[in-house]
């Protein structure tokens, strides 16, 4: 779920992604209007955060994507595969 907490006393849901699509998500990283999901055996998913959420990128990591970070235009995925 994506929740607007700009008013901490009145958080409100602004959007969501169906859980059955991303059942093994291990970590989430948000930068600007993009959300990066480390999705276990399903790899890395990149979601555009707009009124209509949409997956705009996907990368199978070869193992289980456990964590994700973005810095200087590069995506770093911690994976349990050598």
């Amino acid at each position: 779920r994506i929740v607007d907490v700009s008013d901490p006393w009145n958080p409100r849901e602004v959007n969501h992604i169906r859980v059955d699509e991303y059942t093994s998500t291990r970590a989430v990283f948000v930068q600007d209007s993009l959300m990066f999901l480390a999705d276990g055996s399903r790899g890395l998913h990149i979601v555009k955060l707009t009124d209509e959420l949409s997956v705009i990128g996907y990368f199978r990591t070869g193992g289980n994507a456990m964590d994700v970070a973005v810095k200087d235009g590069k995506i770093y995925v911690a994976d349990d595969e050598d």
Side-chain angles (χ1 to χ4, degrees):
R1 299 197 182 273
I2 299 171
V3 178
D4 179 352
V5 293
S6 57
D7 178 356
W9 298 104
N10 295 300
R12 64 182 182 89
E13 181 178 315
V14 293
N15 215 328
H16 68 278
I17 295 176
R18 290 179 40 160
V19 173
D20 62 337
E21 292 176 18
Y22 303 98
T23 57
S24 59
T25 299
R26 304 287 191 245
V28 176
F29 186 93
V30 176
Q31 185 175 64
D32 301 322
S33 62
L34 298 175
M35 179 169 57
F36 303 84
L37 304 171
D39 196 27
S41 63
R42 294 181 180 199
L44 170 73
H45 294 271
I46 304 169
V47 178
K48 187 166 179 101
L49 298 173
T50 59
D51 291 336
E52 293 294 322
L53 298 178
S54 59
V55 176
I56 60 168
Y58 169 78
F59 179 76
R60 189 177 259 329
T61 60
N64 290 305
M66 305 302 284
D67 203 356
V68 61
V70 179
K71 184 171 171 106
D72 298 329
K74 294 182 181 174
I75 303 168
Y76 299 87
V77 179
D79 190 292
D80 68 354
E81 186 70 23
D82 291 334

